[in-house]
Amino acid sequence: MTVAVRFRRHLRRLLLLLASCCLISLLLSAYFLFSNSSPSMHLGQSAEPACSQPLSMSPYRQLPYPYPPNPPYTHVHTDAVVLVLVESQYSQLGQDIVAILESAHFQFRMEIASGKGDLPPLTEKGHGRYSLIIYENLLKYAHADTWNRQLLHQYCTEYRVGIIGFYRSTENSPSVLKLRGLPLNLRTNQALWDCCVVSSSPLLHLTKPGTDRGALPGEDWTSFLSNHSSYQAVLLARAKEGAAAGSGDNAGPGFSLGLQATVVQDMGLYDGVRRVLFGQGLGYWLHRLILVDAISYLTDRKLTLGLDRHILVDIDDIFVGKEGTRMNTKDVKGD
């Protein structure tokens, strides 16, 4: 056997071995890339990977939009009106909610939320009077008596009406709170950093995925944790260093270990009622955008804002504005 023949055989074997190694490497990469079990995210890591999770990896990818769907024989009709249940006429959060509804030209009715959960009439002549219900205080909804809560849930399921709720921590709030009637835990009075929008959330309309770097305003943030597949994080933030992020809890589908969910959406898989819950008020600018998107999502785009924007330029800014602020040729041409 000549040296050339032996060399060609060894070279052929070497090439086959390299091709086999490449094939195995590709299979392992594909397995870890598309597997639903992803490694835990620690506080030292960047927040973007959890926020940019593709929809194909979400446990909700098989759900029709909107969920849960109406039975084909059911015809529901609700007025395009929002029922806002506030603590008082002068509460700051209540006024912020009303200001957003007014600026969007959404019709609403404001009522004082009672301690027992009494509600105004929800139906009239066979149709629903409200397309959405907003609670300024989430506990007024959670602690409503059984009768009123059943009536509310019956209305929400029959007329496809969603619920938005806010929870604001106080110095007397327990560190961990179980929300009555729902598989949801609240962790209160936290200082959080680097809030990011989860790109896989079907709620997003005006809001774009991304990360807002830096400390979030205040140290009274509430985060949500649930093991039920109905709940998905919309906004995530990392806990301040030294805080007990996670505290040994098991983050369920739609959540990320090491990150706190400050806004969550309930897909309606638990009891048929869709919800969006906020872990603070509307002092944070991203919460205002998410609120507008939540209104649009929960009303099935009945109350929504378009994506077109118009810019109004006051003529005074061009001709009689203060020197240094007037528009000039360079400003118009964009040089």
Side-chain angles (χ1 to χ4, degrees), residues 42 89 124 144 157 190 195 263 265 332:
H42 302 287
Q89 287 182 312
E124 183 179 8
T157 53
Q190 297 184 91
C195 187
V263 179
Q265 62 181 108
V332 175

Side-chain angles (χ1 to χ4, degrees), residues 244-267:
S247 301
D249 293 325
N250 180 25
F255 297 85
S256 299
L257 291 173
L259 295 175
Q260 309 295 309
T262 64
V263 179
V264 295
Q265 62 181 108
D266 184 343
M267 311 294 288

Side-chain angles (χ1 to χ4, degrees), residues 217-287:
E219 297 185 351
D220 57 348
W221 285 82
T222 297
S223 62
F224 303 91
L225 191 70
S226 176
N227 289 326
H228 198 280
S229 59
S230 184
Y231 293 89
Q232 183 180 35
V234 179
L235 289 185
L236 291 169
R238 60 176 89 241
K240 189 175 182 180
E241 291 185 8
S247 301
D249 293 325
N250 180 25
F255 297 85
S256 299
L257 291 173
L259 295 175
Q260 309 295 309
T262 64
V263 179
V264 295
Q265 62 181 108
D266 184 343
M267 311 294 288
L269 301 177
Y270 181 71
D271 57 5
V273 180
R274 295 183 299 165
R275 307 174 182 87
V276 176
L277 307 179
F278 291 78
Q280 215 205 34
L282 294 172
Y284 181 48
W285 68 275
L286 266 177
H287 276 198

Side-chain angles (χ1 to χ4, degrees), residues 129-172:
R129 302 182 65 182
Y130 307 104
S131 294
L132 179 68
I133 298 174
I134 299 179
Y135 277 89
E136 178 191 354
N137 185 352
L138 180 60
L139 294 185
K140 286 292 179 71
Y141 163 69
H143 294 165
D145 61 44
T146 304
W147 173 254
N148 283 294
R149 184 153 174 166
Q150 287 179 350
L151 288 177
L152 177 60
H153 283 196
Q154 182 179 357
Y155 175 75
C156 290
T157 53
E158 288 185 3
Y159 290 88
R160 288 194 48 75
V161 172
I163 296 175
I164 294 176
F166 295 84
Y167 182 83
R168 293 171 298 166
S169 303
T170 66
E171 58 183 11
N172 298 322

